[in-house]
Amino acid sequence: MSKAITIRVDEITKRRAEETLDEIGLNMTTYIISSLKALIREQKIPFELTTKQQANANYIAKLDESIAQAERGDVVVYTKAQMRAMEKAK
């Protein structure tokens, strides 16, 4: 059974949060439920959400780095497990 949670937040914070969530592609309810479930599962705030603009900038930087490595002949191959381990280590 679902229970309602009521919170009070100032108008500017609410508006800015909604704008950011909209850029990420989430609504407030989905964000709060996801955050609460992750908090319970991980016993901490286990993730970082970014706007599409930030994610794209990070992706482009990593892509540029990979291209530069390939051009130097410094190509490294990782398994999925190694990639996941590196992501968790951040």
Side-chain angles (χ1 to χ4, degrees):
M1 177 184 345
S2 295
K3 295 286 186 178
I5 297 175
T6 303
I7 61 169
R8 297 203 182 276
V9 63
D10 66 271
E11 186 176 331
I12 293 171
T13 300
K14 180 178 183 286
R15 180 177 42 82
R16 288 182 177 172
E18 287 172 334
E19 289 169 357
T20 302
L21 288 169
D22 186 53
E23 288 182 40
I24 294 168
L26 297 175
N27 62 37
M28 190 73 71
T29 299
T30 301
Y31 170 72
I32 292 171
I33 291 170
S34 296
S35 296
L36 291 172
K37 287 182 178 183
L39 175 69
I40 293 164
R41 182 180 61 250
E42 302 293 328
Q43 295 295 298
K44 65 177 185 173
I45 310 272
F47 55 87
E48 178 182 2
L49 297 176
T50 61
T51 63
K52 291 175 189 171
Q53 183 179 17
Q54 289 170 320
N56 287 340
N58 291 341
Y59 173 77
I60 290 169
K62 288 182 187 270
L63 183 59
D64 287 342
E65 180 182 324
S66 295
I67 290 169
Q69 283 179 331
E71 288 172 345
R72 291 190 309 266
D74 298 335
V75 179
V76 179
V77 178
Y78 294 105
T79 65
K80 267 189 192 178
Q82 289 170 316
M83 296 293 287
R84 286 186 180 129
M86 286 188 289
E87 185 63 28
K88 286 182 181 180
K90 287 185 178 178

